[in-house]
Amino acid sequence: MEQLLNKIEAFKKELEGTIAADAKQVEEFRIKWLGTKGVVKDIMGEMKNVAPENKKAAGQALNEFKIFAETTYETLKQSAAGSQQSTATAIDLSLPGDAMPLGSRHPVVLMKNRIVSIFQRLGFAVAEGPEIEDDWHNFGALNLPAHHPARDMQDTFYVQQNPDWVLRTHTSSVQIREMEKGKLPIRMLMPGRVYRNETVSARSHCFFHQVEGLYIDEHVSFADLKQTLYFFVKEMYGKDVKVRFRPSYFPFTEPSAEMDVTCFICGGTGCNICKKTGWVEILGCGMVHPNVLTNCHIDPNKYTGFAFGMGIERPAMLKYGVNDLRLFSENDVRFLRQFTSAI
Ligand code: PHE
């Protein structure tokens, strides 16, 4: 009996000295003292060894010890939770936060967004397509049958594994994909990356970006084409910019034209950028060739349409004063960091 009481006393001392800093230590305490294989359960088992005359006193002492262990557990639990709370409130919420470095948009994306947003105001929607194209979408359907000499206008990358595949040389391929869907009218913009087998230099690259546009409906005329592009130019380059169309040739449009604007660097008086002509070429355009419509199962006697296509890098170079095309694809943050804009 005496032994048992001494044991209880020793355990009480141990309990008194116990601290628990966090929930994990509180749980360790519970397992050690109150768990199914814990100290309290264990010592309770000693009752059976106590002589009958001492059972009452022993039972009382054991009960007291059990309650003591349980209240110690509750106290520890509360103080651990409280200490966590108090560290939380110890954070000074009025201190400034860590600065989050903000990225910037790529200049090509900025220019693309600008172009797209102008045409969107005229009701043009955006369509995208694959960069690896089959011969039909990149050439055939666009009135460029095999061996057509105009295929040489764009030096093409062919995909080795499949002679029918090319890296698209223009986003006109997406125009075909839109027309093939058979939903008319179409008023679409096709922005995207295109590839041409050219020597990489400050002025040309083996890939660049375009925005093409397509409008197909009944009674669409060349006048609609001109008005649409006039609107674009005024919004893009300002009210004073003059426009001229030069007759040109594209297999997929007839008639075809190239559009120049007065040089936005020198205002038309002549400088290095416009090679002293006062004009800068910005896009190709024309009325969609009836063969192209037929290839896409659209009746050319009922529907007409216009298409246009422009590069993005050149206007971006002029706007941001970039003198080397290669900078756009080198991913040098010192270059990229200079462009900040909400668009
Ligand atoms: N696809 C032509 C090019 O990449 C641009 C163009 C598009 C011209 C539509 C006329 C009509 O050069």
Side-chain angles (χ1 to χ4, degrees):
M1 172 69 184
E2 180 125 338
Q3 236 183 344
L4 179 65
L5 292 179
N6 285 344
K7 223 171 168 178
I8 290 176
E9 215 43 49
F11 278 143
K12 267 190 171 168
K13 284 236 163 60
E14 197 183 329
L15 273 179
E16 271 164 2
T18 310
I19 47 163
D22 54 28
K24 189 168 164 260
Q25 287 181 4
V26 172
E27 178 60 6
E28 282 166 5
F29 175 94
R30 190 190 64 77
I31 292 166
K32 178 179 175 192
W33 295 95
L34 303 170
T36 43
K37 287 182 187 135
V39 176
V40 173
K41 192 77 173 244
D42 192 36
I43 204 167
M44 288 292 191
E46 300 221 23
M47 264 303 266
K48 59 181 184 294
N49 306 326
V50 175
E53 67 276 18
N54 290 333
K55 273 216 190 300
K56 197 175 166 205
Q60 228 168 19
L62 281 170
N63 233 4
E64 263 172 33
F65 172 63
K66 186 177 170 218
I67 289 166
F68 184 67
E70 282 169 349
T71 47
T72 309
Y73 170 63
E74 286 304 323
T75 319
L76 287 176
K77 199 159 88 173
Q78 266 163 31
S79 76
S83 74
Q84 257 165 21
Q85 250 169 32
S86 66
T87 48
T89 49
I91 295 169
D92 182 351
L93 296 174
S94 67
L95 286 173
D98 290 337
M100 296 278 276
L102 201 62
S104 57
R105 289 208 195 279
H106 193 281
V108 167
V109 173
L110 289 175
M111 187 47 79
K112 181 205 82 177
N113 289 353
R114 223 174 129 198
I115 297 169
V116 168
S117 73
I118 294 172
F119 284 105
Q120 272 177 334
R121 277 186 272 149
L122 293 175
F124 281 78
V126 171
E128 287 182 344
E131 291 182 18
I132 299 176
E133 264 298 3
D134 52 56
D135 193 273
W136 171 253
H137 288 95
N138 196 77
F139 292 125
L142 286 155
N143 206 24
L144 278 147
H147 313 301
H148 191 291
R151 285 195 178 207
D152 294 342
M153 282 166 79
Q154 303 165 351
D155 280 318
T156 311
F157 283 117
Y158 289 87
V159 177
Q160 237 172 21
Q161 284 81 350
N162 187 334
D164 192 44
W165 289 349
V166 300
L167 297 187
R168 67 179 180 195
T169 57
H170 48 192
T171 55
S172 305
S173 52
V174 189
Q175 304 195 10
I176 299 300
R177 290 183 178 275
E178 278 308 308
M179 288 190 270
E180 279 175 345
K181 288 182 185 161
K183 266 175 80 182
L184 293 162
I186 297 172
R187 211 185 292 167
M188 286 281 185
L189 280 185
M190 295 80 186
R193 181 176 296 167
V194 300
Y195 301 82
R196 291 185 196 176
N197 190 357
E198 290 187 21
T199 316
V200 176
S201 72
R203 299 189 67 86
S204 69
H205 210 293
C206 56
F207 68 81
F208 58 98
H209 298 78
Q210 282 189 326
V211 177
E212 293 209 357
L214 176 70
Y215 180 28
I216 300 205
D217 203 347
E218 292 179 41
H219 315 300
V220 177
S221 71
F222 203 90
D224 296 316
L225 165 63
K226 286 174 89 174
Q227 284 309 320
T228 304
L229 295 178
Y230 283 154
F231 174 80
F232 167 70
V233 166
K234 301 275 177 226
E235 291 297 308
M236 185 81 176
Y237 299 110
K239 296 255 176 296
D240 300 329
V241 171
K242 291 196 185 65
V243 175
R244 78 177 181 192
F245 285 86
R246 280 178 291 107
S248 185
Y249 173 76
F250 298 104
F252 31 88
T253 48
E254 180 60 36
S256 306
E258 270 165 311
M259 194 175 89
D260 300 341
V261 295
T262 41
C263 178
F264 20 84
I265 304 297
C266 64
T269 51
C271 67
N272 281 343
I273 297 291
C274 59
K275 300 198 195 91
K276 309 261 186 266
T277 62
W279 296 95
V280 191
E281 182 207 318
I282 59 162
L283 58 81
C285 58
M287 301 304 292
V288 180
H289 197 291
N291 288 357
V292 176
L293 294 174
T294 311
N295 286 339
C296 300
H297 314 294
I298 296 172
D299 181 358
N301 294 317
K302 187 168 177 213
Y303 290 98
T304 49
F306 65 73
F308 57 87
M310 68 188 97
I312 300 179
E313 272 83 350
R314 183 114 63 95
M317 285 171 92
L318 292 170
K319 178 168 166 55
Y320 299 118
V322 177
N323 56 12
D324 191 327
L325 196 57
R326 288 168 292 198
L327 286 166
F328 287 131
S329 49
E330 276 170 358
N331 268 346
D332 186 332
V333 283
R334 290 168 304 179
F335 171 73
L336 297 175
R337 199 180 270 149
Q338 298 173 51
F339 305 92
T340 48
S341 165
I343 323 177

